[in-house]
Amino acid sequence: MGAFLRVARAVKQEAANVPLPPGQVAGLVLDAVLDRLHPVSVPERSVGHKAAGAVLVLAGAGITGWAVWERRRETAGSFQLGHPEGLVTTGPYAASRHPMYLGWWMIHAGVAVSRGSAWPVVTMPAGMLVEHLGALWEESMLRQRFGEAYADYERDVPRYIGSPARLMRTSFQMARRPAPAATAIDDENRSEPVDENAPKGTHMSNPAAKNAAT
């Protein structure tokens, strides 16, 4: 029984580290429901649409997974997606301040293109707006937490989409270096509670703790 509980706790902890931005998750579910109740298909759907959709889904999943891996790589202690140790500027964060959002937007778009449904034309922008507001809130907390270090990062790296060439160049240069502003959290902040209601797919912890990494 004890072993079962340990496994259950481990599974629960890992599940909490899966980025699930509410706008896109709700949008995908709503797309499926609306498509079943009242299908609205785009004209001239072809095999090419399915292939293009699959490419978008795989690329989005790859970016999201890479962002989670980079966050985990830069974490010295126990990894918690909603309670990061410091500011991460390597990997996909070298080209986008919010790569998990970007990845999920590509996944949503890929599913829409593959299925040939027109409903995401409505649901996807609505979800993006929700997450954009969340990103603005996160950034305000990051400015308070990291000050000039985040201001420099914010100036150099776009919010969502950056240059692929810059991404590859910066990633190779910084792959084996610690993030410039990645510092250990002081004991006081480390002991503060995690905000369980924070939207998944973000990189912010409890705003009261002011303890974040992008």
Side-chain angles (χ1 to χ4, degrees), residues 18-29 31 64 96-109 120 122-140 142 150 159-160 197-204 214:
V18 177
L20 298 174
Q24 300 312 307
V25 173
L28 285 167
V29 172
D31 290 343
T64 303
S96 171
R97 302 203 302 271
H98 301 279
M100 294 186 200
Y101 285 147
L102 178 61
W104 267 97
W105 295 345
M106 293 174 67
I107 291 171
H108 196 161
V122 177
T123 60
M124 186 175 171
M128 292 173 70
L129 176 60
V130 170
E131 284 137 12
H132 177 67
L133 295 175
L136 295 179
W137 172 79
E138 291 175 21
E139 290 174 2
S140 68
L142 288 163
Y150 186 76
R159 178 174 285 127
Y160 297 121
N197 295 319
K200 295 292 183 62
T202 70
H203 45 261
M204 282 299 303
T214 184

Side-chain angles (χ1 to χ4, degrees), residues 12-102:
K12 181 179 179 181
Q13 181 177 350
E14 287 304 312
N17 291 326
V18 177
L20 298 174
Q24 300 312 307
V25 173
L28 285 167
V29 172
L30 190 58
D31 290 343
V33 172
L34 291 173
D35 203 39
R36 181 173 291 274
L37 294 176
H38 186 70
V40 180
S41 300
V42 297
E44 300 181 4
R45 182 185 176 194
S46 66
V47 176
H49 285 87
K50 291 187 176 181
V55 170
L56 279 171
V57 170
L58 291 174
I63 290 172
T64 303
W66 185 15
V68 173
W69 179 84
E70 191 68 18
R71 285 277 307 281
R72 190 184 292 269
R73 188 177 73 89
E74 294 291 333
T75 301
S78 176
F79 175 67
Q80 297 181 61
L81 189 64
H83 194 227
E85 286 188 350
L87 181 66
V88 179
T89 61
T90 53
Y93 293 99
S96 171
R97 302 203 302 271
H98 301 279
M100 294 186 200
Y101 285 147
L102 178 61

